[in-house]
Every structure is written in structure tokens, then in C-alpha cells.
Amino acid sequence: MSDIEDTNPSLQIQSEPDYPLQPIVAKDDTSIVDNRSLLNDQGQPNLSRTPSATVPDESTKEDASHTKGFCNTTDSKQVVDLEVDGQLPDWLASEHYTIGPGTYDVKYTRKIEIDGILQSATATFTLGHWFDADHHGYAPNFPAGLFKTHPNQTMLIKFLNNGKKPKPDRVPCNQRIMTQVPGLDGRLFTQNFANHIQELDPFDLTPTQVQTWDEINADFKGYSSSPNGQVDPETGEYINFTMEIGYRTTRYHFFSISNQEPKGHPITTIWNAPTGWVNGFTLTPNYIVMVIHPMLANSGAVRFAWNESVLDSFTFYPSEPTLFYVISRVDKEVIACYRSNACFSLNQVNAYEDVHGNVTVDMVCYEDDTIVHRFATEKMRDADMERLPSSEVRRFVLANPRHEANKIYLDNNSYIPSAISVTSRIGTVWNYVTGQAGQPENATGSAGWHAWMPVVKYERISEATLELPQVNPLYKMRKYSFAYGLGNTGNSKMWDSIIKLDVNNSTVVASWHEANCYPSEAQFIPKPKDQAAEKDEEEDSGVLISVVMDAARNTSFLLVLNAQDLSVIAKSQLNKLIPLSFAHGSYRLRSTS
């Protein structure tokens, strides 16, 4: 060992990290960062198999930035009675579920040579994106399994799958949690960007079963889906789609399941759309509206099909349009397709129909896909990172899709190119030759393969940053007045407030903020109608619940707000730090009768 000490004397002189999950960098030599966990303080192989660092320690108490929300956490099955500061409403007897990242850093064993002898040592692998955390070290062997992480797999390993179904706890499903999926037996479900539905034990949250949509019904083909399927509160249907990527085309298969029809049935297939990354869609009583932003598959979608990460498989094209496909739920077919300026969205707010048959779609929009690249773990752990891009709520009104738009679609729909079609290639080459590649105005211009589509302009109904939007679930698919979500006061690099937006007046009418506090999704729970006086049966009658990280105190608390003015009703200290989440939670009200 003396040779190593002479060669790298800095191995024994290490500086304390600014953050417990950052590399421990030697004061005199930064070249050993990549092997920081291979040797211990005495220069011997690090044989520890303990988990990576979890919550921030005492050395980080002076740091009150958002970076503390991107640490590892540990499992706990202990039931803890929490003290409530304030008075919870009598009707709020419920179970609240949230989901999010748990493991960013995974220690693993590798071999290193010391004095000519191979010895075991540990190294650390860090998952590369906010959406990837909670994989517990398992590299998924299916498309959409990772958002931006290189699992360092060879092509050979993709052929060596033994065909066995993965164990329930080895399929990461951390994008959405639901207390029920109509048609499926169980009381708690989670979903991912692929096509998995994972059932959890509602008492200790242990994964008990994992299914794919094509196992429920063989007609639901495709290895990718959306974690944000929609439930129609009137019909009780759960509607979603699967994405089947072929060599020349991509097919989006929409389907419906319900308690009356647990095996479900196909609704229709969008067979001529480009291969885009689609996080969700909107629902109205008569229509399904699927929005495909120009974040399109590159390399003919081959990289995506071979399990490469999403951000390595898709590229944003500002010269391509945002497409709105309209499906008639009555006729079970695509009836119209509109286009608008290139934009990017992670979440829709709401959609509804008016008396003239027009369809309104409200979305949280960004100019491009920069936001998902900023969610890289390395960037989110940097206290000096750039502020997250601002969003705006845009309103798109699709002129009656059963009239002129339907006729135009029937006359022209065969001209929509696939992602790798000759038409698309010629258009791309022509734009490059003429110097028009990347020009946003091409998306709504009079030339190009999409020139026949009706153009949809949008109205900004809020320029205030808002994300993870919520509306009163009783007003889903209806004309509404209020939207809630995470906001930014301008004093932080990321969301540090909860806001209430009046969409009719384009005004933020209420907000909540506390210094050094960072909320996760604020879930709207409406006051039950049988518990509300007639005068209280208003759209904003209810509460918002959020898990908030208090960075200054190295802990988190449960926050309950009055949905009418965002005043604090109650708080409950969780006595541990919960990592920040960008996923969607759920709740289940208990009977109080």
C-alpha cells in the first residue's frame, strides 16, 4: 500500500463534500473523483455494502437551497402518529398517497487491482434524471424505462433476457399513484412511462403484482404507454393508450376499461402520426384529444426500441408543428387533426366543450424541451444551476371538429408522414438546403406536409409560472374558473410556492409561500357535496394537500390549505426529509357516516 500512498498522497487528505452525495474531492488531486468510493480512508478497498448517503447531515444545515430535495431516502414500514398543528376539517377523513424518487445513488461491487492483486471494492452509480430515481439499481429492459440514464448495458444483454416475468419490486413505477383503476382488482396502483401497472399493498406499500396492458387484453399492443390515463367521472371508464412502434409507422392504440368490462375494449388507433414522446392526453364527454409535440424519435425510433433513454432517443424540432388529434368517443374513430406552433408540455390543465361544439384545451406550455433536460440529477443537485424555464398556461380552441375540420381530415389524412417516411425526409433535407431548418414559423406556414391542417392559435391565460396543475376533480371535462399548481416567487431556482389562478381573468388570485420551503404537487380534495351547505357548493370549496420540504430545517411537513384563499388550515411535521417529487398523487375519502 505504500506505493499507492506515495503516488496519490491526497487519498488520505480529503475535503468534506458540500453535499453528502457529491464526490469527495481530494484537495490536491481531483483526478481520483471517479474512483472516490473504491478506497477507504486508509487506502484499502472499500468493502462496504451499505446504502449510499441518505438525508443531508449536520454539515448542510446552513444550505437552504432546493438541492436537499434530491437526496436518497430509505424505506420505512413503521406506522407513525403525527401531531397536527391547526384544525383539520371534519369531512377530511382520507388517505393521501404521494409518489416520487427514493434512490438516486446505488453502490455496487467491482474489482480493482492493488499491488497486483484483484480485490473487491464498491463504487457508486448515480441515476441521471429526476424521473429515473427509485430504480433501486435495477436497469429496466424495456423502452421508456429510463429518462436519461446510461445503464452501461451491451447490446448482447438485450438478447439474454430469460423470458421470466420480472418481480413486482423490480419494475420501477414512480410517475403516478392511483387508489383505483376501474376494471382492475386492487386498492392501490402505480404506473410508469412504459406500459406497466404495479399493484401495491395499501398498508405497507409493498409491490405485490405487476401487469402490462397487453396482459390485460391482447388487443392493447405496444410497449409504451402513458402514466396519466384519464377516468371519466360520468361513465366510470378508464381511458389510456399504448404506443406500438414499427419500422415505418407508429400506432397509438386507445382503449377503455371499466368495472362492467374489466377486459376492456379498443376504441380506435391513430395509425398515421409521427413517433413523439407523449406524456398524456385530454378527455371531454364526446372526444379524446391527443397532443403530439415535436419532440420526435430520432434514428427511426430504433434507439428507443432498443431501450435507450428517452432523452437520447427523442429530439425537439422547433420547425415542426404541435399536432392535435381528435377522436370521437361515439364513432370510435379519428375525425380531425389540427396544428399549432411548436411547443412542449408535461401536463394538461383541463379540456371541455362549448355549446357551439368547439373543444377547449388548456395546457402548461414551454417554448421547447429545455425543462426536461434541466431535470438531470447533476443539474438539480447544483445550487448554482440556472432557474428552471418559465411556463405559461395556453388555451387552444379547436373549431368544431365535426364540421370543416372533419371534411379536411377525411380528404387529406393519408398525407401525414410517419417519422421515417420519404415525405418527412425530403421535407427535412429541403429545409436544410434552403436554410429554413429550425425556424418556428414553418410549423404554421403554408408549405410542408402539414400545410392542409387547420391552424389553431392560442391565448395566454396566464404568464405566471405554473406546473403540476390541479383543478377541482368535479370540474374535470367542464368549463371551470380556477387552476392550482406550483409557482415561483422569483427568489428561487425552482418552484417555491403554491398559486391559485383565475383562468377567466388571467390573474393569480391567491398564493402560499414560506422561506426556504419547496412544495411537491398540491392535490385538490373537494368538499363532499353531502357535507357542504348549499352556499359552499362552489368550485373552490375544498382543500389542497402538499408534502413540503423545509430546506432550512432538513425536514418535511404535510401542508393543508384552504382552496378558496390558500390560507393554512393545518400542518403536520413528518420529522424526516422527503425528496421532492414531480409525480402525481391520489387520495381516498373515508365514509364519515
Side-chain angles (χ1 to χ4, degrees):
M1 292 304 298
S2 59
D3 291 339
I4 293 181
E5 291 173 358
D6 291 340
T7 305
N8 292 308
S10 57
L11 282 173
Q12 294 184 340
I13 309 173
Q14 297 176 328
S15 63
E16 290 297 322
D18 295 329
Y19 184 83
L21 297 182
Q22 288 180 347
I24 298 178
V25 182
K27 291 181 179 178
D28 300 323
D29 185 5
T30 60
S31 64
I32 64 168
V33 171
D34 290 341
N35 288 324
R36 63 187 182 277
S37 60
L38 298 183
L39 303 176
N40 60 21
D41 292 339
Q42 287 73 45
Q44 297 291 334
N46 181 358
L47 302 179
S48 170
R49 287 181 176 269
T50 58
S52 304
T54 53
V55 297
D57 59 21
E58 293 295 323
S59 65
T60 67
K61 277 197 171 181
E62 294 183 1
D63 174 18
S65 73
H66 68 276
T67 58
K68 292 182 180 178
F70 297 89
C71 62
N72 294 346
T73 189
T74 55
D75 293 340
S76 174
K77 296 183 180 181
Q78 181 181 3
V79 177
V80 179
D81 292 327
L82 302 176
E83 294 184 4
V84 177
D85 180 11
Q87 182 63 48
L88 293 173
D90 293 337
W91 59 267
L92 190 61
S94 69
E95 300 165 3
H96 177 250
Y97 296 94
T98 184
I99 191 169
T103 302
Y104 285 94
D105 306 276
V106 181
K107 284 193 174 182
Y108 64 96
T109 302
R110 59 178 292 187
K111 297 289 186 180
I112 62 172
E113 182 178 345
I114 299 179
D115 291 340
I117 301 174
L118 285 178
Q119 300 194 43
S120 295
T122 57
T124 301
F125 180 84
T126 298
L127 291 153
H129 199 273
W130 196 0
F131 296 166
D132 290 341
D134 203 35
H135 282 251
H136 298 292
Y138 300 119
N141 59 349
F142 46 80
L146 292 167
F147 210 82
K148 186 177 174 56
T149 297
H150 297 284
N152 198 28
Q153 293 181 344
T154 65
M155 295 296 287
L156 179 61
I157 200 171
K158 302 177 189 298
F159 291 104
L160 295 181
N161 183 6
N162 58 16
K164 293 183 179 180
K165 187 173 181 178
K167 295 180 179 180
D169 63 345
R170 296 198 176 190
V171 177
C173 294
N174 61 344
Q175 296 305 314
R176 189 183 186 189
I177 188 167
M178 300 178 67
T179 55
Q180 65 170 337
V181 175
L184 300 186
D185 292 330
R187 295 181 58 190
L188 197 61
F189 300 91
T190 61
Q191 293 175 267
N192 58 14
F193 289 121
N195 64 342
H196 296 92
I197 314 99
Q198 184 183 67
E199 183 182 350
L200 304 182
D201 184 305
F203 298 101
D204 63 11
L205 305 184
T206 301
T208 58
Q209 183 182 13
V210 64
Q211 302 178 77
T212 56
W213 289 117
D214 58 346
E215 291 175 337
I216 295 172
N217 188 321
D219 290 333
F220 304 164
K221 303 174 184 177
Y223 43 59
S224 182
S225 184
S226 168
N228 300 312
Q230 301 285 322
V231 176
D232 185 329
E234 298 297 326
T235 65
E237 294 174 273
Y238 174 87
I239 295 175
N240 206 339
F241 70 89
T242 55
M243 184 174 170
E244 183 182 11
I245 298 177
Y247 173 67
R248 297 191 60 81
T249 60
T250 292
R251 298 173 183 267
Y252 300 86
H253 303 294
F254 277 84
F255 62 87
S256 166
I257 62 174
S258 64
N259 291 332
Q260 293 73 31
E261 192 180 6
K263 286 293 183 181
H265 65 268
I267 297 175
T268 193
T269 294
I270 301 176
W271 58 271
N272 53 4
T275 306
W277 182 74
V278 183
N279 189 42
F281 57 94
T282 57
L283 201 63
T284 71
N286 293 299
Y287 303 109
I288 300 168
V289 181
M290 183 177 192
V291 183
I292 300 182
H293 300 281
M295 185 176 176
L296 306 175
N298 49 45
S299 304
V302 172
R303 300 181 70 175
F304 183 63
W306 278 101
N307 307 350
E308 294 292 334
S309 69
V310 170
L311 290 185
D312 288 325
S313 304
F314 291 81
T315 302
F316 187 84
Y317 295 91
S319 61
E320 295 296 315
T322 296
L323 303 177
F324 295 76
Y325 288 85
V326 182
I327 296 171
S328 168
R329 295 176 62 184
V330 176
D331 300 327
K332 294 182 171 54
E333 63 181 9
V334 182
I335 62 171
C337 184
Y338 304 79
R339 61 180 169 135
S340 189
N341 301 79
C343 66
F344 182 75
S345 178
L346 288 165
N347 291 290
Q348 289 86 29
V349 182
N350 202 3
Y352 58 90
E353 303 165 32
D354 64 22
V355 294
H356 304 292
N358 303 320
V359 178
T360 296
V361 178
D362 293 345
M363 296 191 299
V364 176
C365 292
Y366 300 87
E367 290 296 326
D368 54 32
D369 65 339
T370 299
I371 183 72
V372 286
H373 292 274
R374 293 279 182 84
F375 286 168
T377 305
E378 180 182 17
K379 294 181 179 179
M380 298 303 286
R381 284 178 166 177
D382 182 1
D384 296 322
M385 76 170 190
E386 295 182 60
R387 182 175 297 166
L388 291 178
S390 298
S391 64
E392 60 186 24
V393 180
R394 296 181 182 179
R395 170 162 291 175
F396 301 84
V397 179
L398 313 182
N400 195 322
R402 287 198 171 277
H403 289 172
E404 187 66 20
N406 177 236
K407 182 179 183 302
I408 294 173
Y409 180 78
L410 294 177
D411 291 341
N412 295 276
N413 70 80
S414 61
Y415 292 103
I416 300 179
S418 67
I420 58 171
S421 69
V422 174
T423 307
S424 182
R425 289 178 180 175
I426 290 176
T428 301
V429 173
W430 175 252
N431 284 339
Y432 177 78
V433 171
T434 59
Q436 300 180 68
Q439 295 184 9
E441 58 269 20
N442 291 343
T444 55
S446 58
W449 61 268
H450 45 70
W452 59 268
M453 297 179 185
V455 174
V456 180
K457 295 184 178 180
Y458 62 86
E459 170 193 1
R460 291 184 181 89
I461 58 175
S462 172
E463 295 185 1
T465 290
L466 181 142
E467 193 47 275
L468 291 174
Q470 287 272 311
V471 301
N472 184 332
L474 301 178
Y475 282 76
K476 275 285 189 182
M477 307 194 310
R478 296 172 52 188
K479 185 174 174 57
Y480 70 110
S481 297
F482 303 114
Y484 304 83
L486 305 187
N488 192 318
T489 61
N491 299 318
S492 173
K493 302 298 177 65
M494 68 176 302
W495 306 292
D496 61 353
S497 64
I498 298 172
I499 65 173
K500 177 182 181 180
L501 172 67
D502 184 333
V503 299
N504 297 319
N505 299 315
S506 302
T507 305
V508 175
V509 294
S511 64
W512 172 90
H513 165 74
E514 286 187 14
N516 306 317
C517 290
Y518 302 89
S520 292
E521 180 190 52
Q523 184 85 31
F524 190 107
I525 302 181
K527 189 173 185 179
K529 289 186 176 181
D530 59 353
Q531 297 289 326
E534 185 174 346
K535 63 181 178 62
D536 292 330
E537 292 184 6
E538 300 174 351
E539 181 181 337
D540 56 358
S541 179
V543 300
L544 294 168
I545 296 182
S546 176
V547 176
V548 181
M549 182 188 75
D550 186 338
R553 298 175 59 245
N554 282 353
T555 188
S556 297
F557 60 88
L558 190 68
L559 175 68
V560 183
L561 300 176
N562 185 325
Q564 294 184 326
D565 58 8
L566 299 194
S567 59
V568 177
I569 294 177
K571 286 184 180 180
S572 184
Q573 297 297 329
L574 301 180
N575 300 319
K576 67 179 297 183
L577 191 146
I578 307 297
L580 294 173
S581 168
F582 194 79
H584 297 289
S586 187
Y587 68 93
R588 180 191 290 116
L589 284 177
R590 299 172 184 167
S591 175
T592 56
S593 58

